[in-house]
Amino acid sequence: MGQHLVGNHIRKLRFNHDEMTQQQLADKAGVTRQTIVALEKGNYSPSLELAFRIARAFGLSLEEVFFYGEE
Amino acid sequence: MTYQEKKSIVSILSTILITAGYWAYMYPQRPGGGLESAETFRYWGSFVLVLTVISIAAHIVISIAFNIVYRISTGEKEPGFADELDKIIELKSHRNSFLVFILGFMAAMASLVIGQPSQLMFVILIAAGFAADVTGSASKLYHYRRGV
C-alpha cells in the first residue's frame, strides 16, 4: 500500500503503561483491536479525532504519540 | 489472525461453496429445446432470484455460526461495531466489487451484441455476481492485512 508518513509510538507506550493490551487501548479509544494492530504495523494513518483519542488514552499530547515522517 | 481477517476468509469460502453447490444442483435442470424459449428465461430468472435469497440466508447462518465458533475457540467476543478503519475498508471493497460486476455486466451485454444466445448472457451475469462477491471479500482481507 502507499507510504504512510504518520508514524507512532503506540507499541512502546503500551509497554510503558503497565503493558496495556491492544484490546484495552482499543476499548479506551473506541475502536476495534484490528485498528490498533494496523496502527502499530504502520498500515494505517488515523483520523485526527482518533489520534487525539489515542493520545488521551495515554494521557499524552498528540506529538508525544504520533510523528510526521521519519523519526 | 484477527476477527476481521478470519471473517473475510470465511466469507470467500462460503460464497464459493454456496454458488458451486447451487450451480451443481440447478444447472443440470436447465430446460432443453429452443435456447430463446419462455421456459429458458423463466429458468434463468428463477435461478438468479433463488440464488440471491439462498445466498443471503446462508451468509447470515454462516456468519452466526462463525461468531459462535470464534467465541468458543478464542474466548474473545466479536467486535460489535464498525470503526473508521472498518468503514474505509468497506468502501474500498464495495468499489472493487462494483467495478468487477460492471465489467461482467458489460461483457454480458457484449455477448448479446455479437449474437451469442441469451443463455450465455445469464451465465456471464451470474459469474460476474459471484466474482464481484469474492472480490469484495478478498479486498477486505487484503486491506485488513496490508493496510489502506
Side-chain angles (χ1 to χ4, degrees):
Chain A
M1 300 289 359
Q3 192 72 26
H4 289 284
L5 295 173
V6 179
N8 64 73
H9 303 295
I10 292 175
R11 200 184 189 102
K12 189 175 76 183
L13 288 167
R14 279 198 306 109
F15 183 77
N16 292 339
H17 281 72
D18 298 328
E19 297 187 19
M20 183 191 289
T21 65
Q22 290 174 330
Q23 187 62 57
Q24 285 170 335
L25 176 58
D27 291 341
K28 284 186 177 184
V31 292
T32 62
R33 189 173 73 83
Q34 174 78 54
T35 301
I36 302 300
V37 172
L39 285 168
E40 287 188 359
K41 282 183 181 173
N43 286 341
Y44 176 54
S45 295
S47 68
L48 198 53
E49 185 186 346
L50 176 56
F52 272 109
R53 286 208 304 267
I54 290 171
R56 189 172 288 178
F58 288 122
L60 298 170
S61 68
L62 204 59
E63 292 81 3
E64 288 172 294
V65 182
F66 295 94
F67 56 87
Y68 184 72
E70 298 287 327
E71 184 166 285
Chain B
M1 199 180 281
T2 60
Y3 170 82
Q4 288 89 341
E5 290 168 7
K6 286 177 185 166
K7 195 172 182 185
S8 301
I9 292 171
V10 168
S11 183
I12 293 171
L13 293 177
S14 61
T15 301
I16 292 170
L17 280 177
I18 293 162
T19 309
Y22 184 74
W23 190 278
Y25 174 73
M26 282 293 286
Y27 195 68
Q29 298 176 30
R30 70 189 183 281
L35 288 174
E36 308 298 323
S37 69
E39 188 62 28
T40 304
F41 284 107
R42 193 176 302 118
Y43 167 80
W44 284 109
S46 69
F47 189 107
V48 172
L49 284 179
V50 174
L51 176 60
T52 305
V53 172
I54 286 178
S55 186
I56 291 168
H59 269 109
I60 291 170
V61 170
I62 290 169
S63 178
I64 292 168
F66 169 71
N67 285 346
I68 292 168
V69 171
Y70 181 80
R71 278 191 198 191
I72 292 168
S73 61
T74 63
E76 283 179 35
K77 203 178 165 204
E78 72 278 5
F81 63 97
D83 64 17
E84 62 179 45
L85 179 62
D86 295 319
K87 286 172 186 166
I88 290 171
I89 290 175
E90 188 84 16
L91 281 173
K92 284 178 182 280
S93 69
H94 279 167
R95 181 197 60 191
N96 295 343
S97 179
F98 184 70
L99 180 68
V100 168
F101 185 76
I102 286 296
L103 290 175
F105 182 82
M106 299 302 279
M109 295 304 111
S111 74
L112 291 179
V113 172
I114 60 172
Q116 294 299 308
S118 59
Q119 191 152 281
L120 180 64
M121 185 262 298
F122 282 110
V123 170
I124 294 173
L125 276 181
I126 293 164
F130 167 74
D133 205 350
V134 171
T135 301
S137 298
S139 297
K140 276 187 191 173
L141 178 62
Y142 176 81
H143 287 301
Y144 276 121
R145 290 188 77 84
R146 303 290 300 272
V148 290

